[in-house]
């Protein structure tokens, strides 16, 4: 399928706030002063814990929620003020993938995919051709006449993706689309989304609570905490040098960057005589596979104990995190050596 959708649209959140009235009185502020631009054609992940405000933010892009303050722009269109036909046109430009699929049990795969086109009043012949293209794109040509009850979780999500693409949107929203799937199926769905982004040029905005999903698919990431964006930027840059405690907490859940419990329980804020300094060493780009710790020991005679670590890939960039301990008395010397060789270091604490 070589057809390319219409030009991707940017998404801009400009000083967005959202307040909800409490049933018993008072107000809950779900979002406060959120400013973020999602570049056209990018895959941007918004990561946050439950209740952080990420779902509310996502629902503003297609007008399911309206901001209490600020603006949400899809391209040049103000979503929050759109009504009637203008809002319907915006929603045609926005496809939505849901966590729990939201398929109609009484409709076949083809019937579920056709539904947005039927609602839009598209001719039957065009619907038939479009559905055939979409089931092929998501790898479900053999299942076109099956019902949701006959499908696996991954197949159901593929139907959801095809349905979201039916109206040839400019933007694809993903609401925790992989959180109900097993790890292997998650990878196939993420791979499909990357292919769609590449082939069709769509802007993809996804929300998740899993940093591994951001690592595997997103070109950009925004971290939301307590209704505010606390950090954002290219995924590679954020992984290399996380600035906010919430970001570092999420990164600690990615394989290879979590302190072993026996070390974490002994961690102190100040060094003790003869103790060890615990540091995170971040490798990236061409330095990700360099044997710098071996060189540190060989050239400076500083013994290094590796506590945890891994080398992975962020986009097309190698990326590694190592948690190590070394003599606290030589910590500054070691960190200066590593930084002189273009590696990032962060002191996590000290153990006796």
């Amino acid at each position: 399928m070589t057809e390319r959708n219409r030009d991707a649209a940017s998404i801009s959140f400009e000083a967005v706030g959202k307040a909800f009235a409490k049933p018993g009185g008072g107000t809950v502020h779900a979002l406060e002063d959120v400013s973020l631009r999602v570049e056209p054609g990018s895959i941007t992940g918004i990561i946050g814990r439950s209740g952080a405000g990420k779902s509310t933010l996502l629902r503003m892009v297609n007008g399911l929620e309206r901001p209490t303050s600020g603006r949400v722009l899809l391209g040049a269109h103000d979503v929050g003020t759109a009504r009637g036909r203008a809002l319907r046109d915006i929603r045609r430009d926005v496809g939505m993938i849901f966590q729990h699929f939201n398929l109609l049990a009484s409709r076949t795969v083809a019937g579920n995919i056709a539904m947005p086109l039927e609602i839009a009043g598209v001719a039957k012949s065009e619907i038939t051709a479009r559905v055939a293209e979409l089931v092929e794109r998501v790898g479900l040509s053999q299942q076109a006449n099956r019902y949701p009850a006959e499908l696996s979780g991954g197949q159901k999500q593929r139907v959801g993706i095809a349905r979201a693409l039916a109206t040839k949107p400019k933007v694809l929203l993903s609401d925790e689309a992989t959180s109900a799937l097993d790890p292997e199926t998650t990878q196939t769905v993420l791979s499909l989304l990357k292919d769609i982004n590449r082939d069709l040029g769509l802007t993809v905005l996804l929300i998740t609570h899993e940093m591994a999903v951001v690592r595997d698919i997103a070109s950009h990431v925004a971290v939301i905490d307590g209704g505010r964006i606390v950090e954002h930027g290219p995924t590679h840059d954020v992984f290399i040098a996380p600035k906010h405690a919430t970001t570092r907490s999420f990164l600690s859940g990615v394989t290879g960057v979590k302190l072993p419990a026996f070390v974490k329980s002994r961690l102190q804020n100040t060094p003790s005589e003869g103790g060890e300094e615990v540091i995170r060493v971040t490798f990236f780009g061409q330095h990700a596979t360099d044997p710098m710790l071996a060189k540190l020991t060989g050239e400076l005679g500083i013994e290094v104990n590796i506590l945890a670590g891994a080398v992975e890939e962020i986009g097309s960039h190698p990326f590694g995190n190592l948690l190590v301990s070394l003599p606290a008395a030589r910590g500054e010397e070691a960190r200066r050596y590593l930084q002189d060789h273009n590696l990032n270091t962060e002191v996590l604490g000290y153990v006796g």
Side-chain angles (χ1 to χ4, degrees), residues 59-341:
R59 288 164 61 86
M60 287 185 175
V61 180
N62 59 5
L64 293 176
E65 297 284 359
R66 296 182 185 274
T68 307
S69 59
R71 299 196 304 168
V72 179
L73 302 178
L74 184 66
H77 303 288
D78 189 334
V79 182
T81 60
R83 299 290 188 277
R85 182 174 179 177
L87 182 58
R88 290 193 295 273
D89 289 345
I90 287 172
R91 286 175 173 167
R92 278 178 59 91
D93 284 340
V94 181
M96 185 88 167
I97 311 166
F98 301 93
Q99 177 181 358
H100 296 297
F101 321 127
N102 287 14
L103 304 180
L104 291 179
S106 60
R107 281 184 170 240
T108 63
V109 167
N112 271 281
I113 297 170
M115 187 171 62
L117 299 170
E118 293 171 2
I119 293 172
V122 177
K124 187 173 181 180
S125 59
E126 293 181 37
I127 292 175
T128 301
R130 180 66 176 156
V131 169
E133 291 174 351
L134 289 169
V135 293
E136 180 181 354
R137 171 165 287 283
V138 300
L140 292 176
S141 296
Q142 301 301 313
Q143 290 80 25
N145 295 316
R146 293 185 182 178
Y147 290 88
E150 302 174 83
L151 305 177
S152 68
Q155 289 172 330
K156 290 176 183 177
Q157 196 55 283
R158 286 171 177 266
V159 178
I161 292 170
R163 180 184 57 192
L165 295 174
T167 59
K168 301 181 181 179
K170 298 178 180 180
V171 168
L172 193 59
L173 306 180
S174 171
D175 185 2
E176 298 274 12
T178 59
S179 63
L181 305 176
D182 63 71
E184 184 176 352
T185 306
T186 291
Q187 288 304 311
T188 63
V189 170
L190 293 180
S191 179
L192 175 60
L193 289 176
K194 284 194 287 188
D195 290 345
I196 288 168
N197 169 257
R198 182 194 64 228
D199 297 344
L200 302 183
L202 288 174
T203 304
V204 180
L205 179 62
L206 60 92
I207 62 171
T208 182
H209 61 275
E210 300 174 282
M211 190 59 93
V213 170
V214 172
R215 176 196 64 198
D216 292 342
I217 189 174
S219 58
H220 295 73
V221 60
V223 182
I224 189 168
D225 186 40
R228 296 179 180 272
I229 299 293
V230 297
E231 187 163 359
H232 65 89
T235 303
H236 186 246
D237 293 351
V238 172
F239 268 66
I240 288 171
K243 296 178 175 61
H244 196 272
T246 300
T247 311
R248 291 193 291 270
S249 175
F250 276 116
L251 283 172
S252 71
V254 179
T255 302
V257 295
K258 188 174 182 179
L259 272 176
F262 76 92
V263 176
K264 188 174 182 179
S265 64
R266 297 164 51 208
L267 212 59
Q268 303 171 8
N269 293 324
T270 56
S272 57
E273 186 176 352
E276 298 273 304
E277 181 175 281
V278 179
I279 65 173
R280 176 187 282 111
V281 183
T282 305
F283 303 72
F284 52 94
Q286 64 182 8
H287 303 290
T289 55
D290 289 353
M292 293 309 305
L293 297 184
K295 291 182 178 180
L296 176 66
T297 300
E299 294 181 20
L300 301 185
I302 300 176
E303 294 185 357
V304 179
N305 180 29
I306 297 176
L307 303 173
V311 177
E312 301 170 295
E313 191 173 65
I314 310 297
S316 59
H317 304 280
F319 168 81
N321 252 327
L322 285 179
L323 303 181
V324 304
S325 65
L326 45 81
R330 304 195 67 183
E332 184 177 351
E333 180 185 4
R335 282 183 276 110
R336 185 167 55 248
Y337 176 89
L338 295 171
Q339 289 163 3
D340 286 345
H341 288 80

Side-chain angles (χ1 to χ4, degrees), residues 14-19 30-34 60 66-71:
E14 299 180 351
V16 169
K18 179 64 177 180
L31 297 171
E32 296 186 63
D33 195 28
V34 171
M60 287 185 175
R66 296 182 185 274
T68 307
S69 59
R71 299 196 304 168

